[in-house]
């Protein structure tokens, strides 16, 4: 996909990201929350997948000490299965490592096989469960970690 560019997300992307949040998540972040992440949260680092000027995916994390806490990864439903999620997660890890993230962690729904597979592909392994973590349906969260000595 020659036209696809992975770039740093900017506050002007908040509207497109909030739109994708609604399309991709049962508990979406509001426009205000997304805008805050991009414009004001100094710990936040977000990337956008830009396809000919259209935002088709994004991924982000909070840098807490030397840990990268991944907050969200999402790809437009119409553009899935084309490697965009793969590119976003790979770039998020690489770029945040340069900013000081030695290891990475996240929570994912136990039923989200696609995301779990994506994270495993990038070296994450399950490290625990948060029972009933998701408010909408009481689903458990799997806690995953990717440690700094992982190669790949
Ligand atoms: C998870 C998500 C980001 C994947 O994005 P994508 O662009 O379709 O993923 P890619 O095409 O780059 O696929 C990368 C890897 O993800 C996994 N994957 C993607 N779709 C999958 C599916 N339907 N079933 C199983 N694994 C899948 C595979 O490991 C795949 O690697 P492979 O192609 O070598 O098998 C996308 O499905 C999404 O936005 N889901 C809704 C939001 C979400 O759940 N985010 C995660 C929150 S923790």
């Amino acid at each position: 996909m020659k036209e696809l560019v992975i770039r740093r997300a900017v506050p002007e992307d908040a509207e497109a990201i909030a739109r994708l949040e609604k399309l991709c998540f049962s508990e979406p972040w509001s426009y205000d929350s997304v805008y805050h992440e991009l414009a004001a949260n100094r710990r936040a680092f977000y990337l956008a997948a830009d396809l000919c000027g259209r935002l088709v995916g994004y991924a982000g994390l909070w840098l807490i000490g030397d840990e990268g806490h991944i907050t969200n990864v999402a790809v437009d439903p119409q553009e899935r299965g084309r490697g965009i999620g793969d590119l976003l997660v790979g770039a998020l890890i690489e770029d945040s490592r340069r900013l000081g993230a030695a290891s990475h962690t996240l929570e994912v729904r136990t039923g989200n096989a696609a995301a779990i597979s994506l994270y495993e592909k990038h070296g994450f392994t399950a490290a625990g469960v948060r029972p009933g973590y998701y408010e909408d349906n009481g689903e458990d969260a799997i806690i995953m970690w990717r440690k700094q000595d992982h190669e790949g």
Side-chain angles (χ1 to χ4, degrees):
M1 234 186 303
K2 271 194 299 194
E3 333 78 88
L4 188 85
V5 175
I6 305 291
R7 59 165 174 81
R8 186 90 189 252
V10 293
E12 290 72 24
D13 294 316
E15 200 171 324
I17 290 178
R19 188 178 49 78
L20 279 190
E21 277 281 313
K22 281 194 193 135
L23 281 176
C24 297
F25 295 108
S26 51
E27 294 179 306
W29 284 9
S30 65
Y31 170 86
D32 287 348
S33 302
V34 173
Y35 187 83
H36 174 81
E37 288 289 291
L38 299 175
N41 184 352
R42 280 183 287 158
R43 285 181 164 171
F45 177 76
Y46 281 81
L47 293 175
D50 189 318
L51 188 61
C52 300
R54 188 165 59 94
L55 193 143
V56 292
Y58 62 98
L61 54 70
W62 292 335
L63 262 172
I64 302 176
D66 66 352
E67 296 173 356
H69 289 239
I70 295 182
T71 54
N72 273 343
V73 177
V75 171
D76 187 323
Q78 293 186 341
E79 305 291 347
R80 289 183 191 162
R82 304 175 67 192
I84 297 173
D86 221 0
L87 287 172
L88 279 168
V89 172
L92 189 67
I93 291 169
E94 266 320 297
D95 290 359
S96 62
R97 278 174 76 162
R98 273 184 237 120
L99 296 172
S103 59
H104 295 79
T105 186
L106 55 88
E107 285 104 11
V108 57
R109 289 178 190 260
T110 50
N112 194 345
I116 292 168
S117 172
L118 170 62
Y119 297 136
E120 284 176 344
K121 198 174 162 184
H122 286 272
F124 285 84
T125 53
V129 172
R130 294 194 206 284
Y133 183 75
Y134 295 98
E135 275 182 19
D136 59 338
N137 63 354
E139 194 170 348
D140 296 348
I142 300 176
I143 304 162
M144 300 186 88
W145 276 93
R146 181 189 192 278
K147 297 296 182 183
Q148 66 189 106
D149 55 2
H150 177 84
E151 296 296 329

